[in-house]
Amino acid sequence: MPRTLFDKLWDSHCITTGQSGESLLYIDRVCLHERTGGIALKSLEERNIPVRRPEQAFCMMDHVLDTHPGRGDRTAIPGGEAFILRAREGAAASGIRTFDVGDADQGISHVVSAEQGIALPGLSLVCPDSHTCTLGALGTLALGIGTSEAEHALATSTLWMARPPGVRVVVDGRLRPDATPKDLALYLIAEHGADGAAGAAVEFSGAGVEALGIEARMTLCNMAVEFAAVTALIAPDAKVFDYVADRAYAPAKLPLKEWMALHTDAGAHFDRTINIDATRIDARVTWGTSPEQGVNVTGRIPAPRNGTARRALDYIGLAPGTAMPEVAIDAAFIGSCTNARLSDLRSAAAILRNRRVAPGVAAICVPASAAVKRAAEAEGLDRIFRAAGFEWRESGCSLCFHAGGESFGPGKRVITTTNRNFEGRQGPHVRSHLASPAVVAASAVRGRISTPGML
């Protein structure tokens, strides 16, 4: 019987299915971060329950860290130091590898997991973070879970889960040079709704996806949770095999025969299929407080169709019919697990070279990992960002989410490469507009929401 890629991954990890219909899955690798990881480890310690396979568990310091140079354990989030200390002590006591502050390989969990070969084709991986689906770009069954589920996975190497339906997104044609995977994701969510894949496992496929590089695929899978997906997947290919080769936690000899079988069979069933013509996609930006509330950067804000849209416009402080290129910004942020890898920074730097950020615009760049930061500096990208007027920071989640920490300030309008534009996501009353690194860079230079072609 033909099976989807998700079917193959699920079936290979399913231990048993209970009377409730939920399945017990074997979990190959567990990733933690300091915001919730220390809580899970402390809970196990208090109950005298050991971590079953500490060599397959990893802890990343990323969520609450200050990203200013010379940070140490400093954090702007109230009580943040306690989260860092608890995670550090718990991981050390359990024998878990920690990518700590100052570690040469520290960074955002979903980025480090790929860089280190912790996420690999065919493996199952869980992390108490909704954007774990990023790693499906490598053909990993990557699941975002809760803290109590992380405890269960640490103690038993298993996870109870109901099997989700399958949605296939087929991307025909290639993105034009002025469009990016971020634009593709924002287009998909705007066209089919933020609940378009509610509770489903999404597989991205088609010539448009196959043409993407690995980091671009990660951006696409990262945004799947904003489409209400449980996880996202892309069938691994030669690009993936080359990417994971020689990574620290990858096998010395890659099981290529097994990995090459990780694809959807012809005739396999999906509960829904969505077709997208990539050649029709332009640079996108959000105008509201949901990733689905977006238009082309050259477009205008539509008339509100319901109370949710009216509330979004009230919060964002804009009126229907407003042309997006007329919207002035106060700040620009390049960072997050969505768009702060090396290719993202190169894209922004190409726009910023020999240009300056507009007067009055605060601009910050936070590389997604220490490895990305080193690579960018080796290419001189940091000098381009600084010369343009951007702050150049240490790696971490930073201004992707507020949690009581750093913010641009109430009422400020921010163009950002992050994944969520919810009310208060980047601070109380901050107004966030999601876009690609190139659009963020161009907007910072012009002082208004812009495409690079408007400079």
Side-chain angles (χ1 to χ4, degrees):
M1 179 178 178
R3 294 188 297 163
T4 68
L5 170 58
F6 179 77
D7 291 337
K8 294 177 181 181
L9 293 172
W10 183 277
D11 294 346
S12 67
H13 289 88
C14 183
I15 300 168
T16 186
T17 299
Q19 292 182 345
S20 67
E22 286 197 333
S23 294
L24 185 67
L25 302 180
Y26 183 80
I27 301 303
D28 295 301
R29 290 180 173 174
V30 181
C31 292
L32 306 170
H33 57 76
E34 84 284 15
R35 194 164 181 237
T36 59
I39 296 171
L41 291 168
K42 183 67 173 177
S43 177
L44 291 177
E45 178 188 355
E46 290 173 346
R47 291 179 289 159
N48 199 30
I49 299 174
V51 174
R52 182 175 181 271
R53 299 184 67 201
E55 74 281 5
Q56 297 295 339
F58 306 86
C59 184
M60 290 76 167
M61 301 292 187
D62 61 1
H63 270 62
V64 305
L65 299 182
D66 187 347
T67 56
H68 287 87
R71 61 189 172 187
D73 286 352
R74 185 176 67 233
T75 171
I77 293 176
E81 293 89 347
F83 285 100
I84 295 171
L85 184 61
R86 183 186 295 140
R88 179 182 294 146
E89 292 178 345
S94 296
I96 293 173
R97 166 72 163 101
T98 301
F99 297 87
D100 209 338
V101 183
D103 190 300
D105 296 316
Q106 178 270 334
I108 301 174
S109 56
H110 322 308
V111 178
V112 172
S113 294
E115 291 174 342
Q116 295 295 310
I118 295 168
L120 293 169
L123 293 188
S124 59
L125 179 150
V126 296
C127 178
D129 187 290
S130 60
H131 292 99
T132 304
C133 54
T134 304
L135 300 167
L138 300 176
T140 306
L141 179 58
L143 302 166
I145 59 173
T147 305
S148 60
E149 291 172 312
E151 291 179 40
H152 190 277
L154 287 166
T156 68
S157 299
T158 65
L159 175 72
W160 283 103
M161 182 178 173
R163 187 174 191 137
V167 171
R168 189 175 205 175
V169 178
V170 182
V171 182
D172 297 311
R174 295 191 176 201
L175 290 169
R176 298 197 305 267
D178 58 345
T180 72
K182 183 66 162 290
D183 301 312
L184 171 58
L186 291 175
Y187 175 86
L188 170 68
I189 297 167
E191 288 293 307
H192 298 276
D195 60 350
V202 171
E203 179 180 342
F204 292 104
S205 64
V209 174
E210 293 169 7
L212 298 176
I214 302 306
E215 294 186 353
R217 296 179 189 184
M218 290 180 187
T219 294
L220 187 58
C221 286
N222 176 277
M223 293 293 292
V225 69
E226 315 311 333
F227 196 41
V230 169
T231 191
L233 288 163
I234 296 174
D237 57 11
K239 291 180 183 178
V240 172
F241 307 153
D242 289 342
Y243 178 89
V244 302
D246 300 321
R247 301 283 175 177
Y249 291 93
K253 184 177 181 180
L254 303 181
L256 294 180
K257 184 176 180 180
E258 295 176 20
W259 288 357
M260 289 173 68
L262 295 175
H263 59 80
T264 291
D265 300 329
H269 171 75
F270 286 91
D271 295 276
R272 184 185 179 197
T273 297
I274 297 171
N275 291 90
I276 292 178
D277 181 357
T279 65
R280 298 179 56 190
I281 295 173
D282 295 302
R284 306 280 297 183
V285 66
T286 58
W287 54 262
T289 56
S290 166
E292 74 175 7
Q293 295 169 335
V295 293
N296 292 341
V297 175
T298 56
R300 294 178 179 272
I301 297 175
R305 293 182 294 178
N306 51 45
T308 300
R310 284 190 288 273
R311 175 184 169 89
L313 285 175
D314 287 343
Y315 179 87
I316 213 75
L318 295 174
T322 301
M324 296 308 296
E326 295 176 2
V327 178
I329 62 166
D330 300 299
F333 178 71
I334 295 175
S336 86
C337 58
T338 310
N339 276 133
R341 297 176 183 81
L342 185 59
S343 57
D344 299 310
L345 303 191
R346 286 170 175 161
S347 174
I351 307 302
L352 296 171
R353 189 185 299 274
N354 299 323
R355 291 188 170 105
R356 287 283 302 176
V357 169
V361 174
I364 297 173
C365 179
V366 180
S369 72
V372 169
K373 182 173 183 284
R374 283 195 305 275
E377 291 174 347
E379 295 183 11
L381 302 186
D382 60 317
R383 294 193 296 274
I384 295 174
F385 276 97
R386 289 191 176 106
F390 269 76
E391 289 185 49
W392 181 254
R393 299 279 193 91
E394 300 292 339
S395 63
C397 292
S398 187
L399 285 149
C400 178
F401 80 111
H402 178 61
E406 188 178 9
S407 169
F408 286 107
K412 298 298 184 181
R413 189 177 305 283
V414 184
I415 187 88
T416 174
T417 66
T418 54
N419 41 49
R420 287 179 175 163
N421 55 338
F422 305 160
E423 292 186 19
R425 174 73 179 184
Q426 293 188 292
H429 308 296
V430 172
R431 299 157 172 173
S432 302
H433 296 270
L434 307 181
S436 70
V439 167
V440 171
S443 301
V445 170
R446 187 166 171 265
R448 296 177 182 275
I449 293 176
S450 308
T451 66
M454 294 176 183
L455 298 180

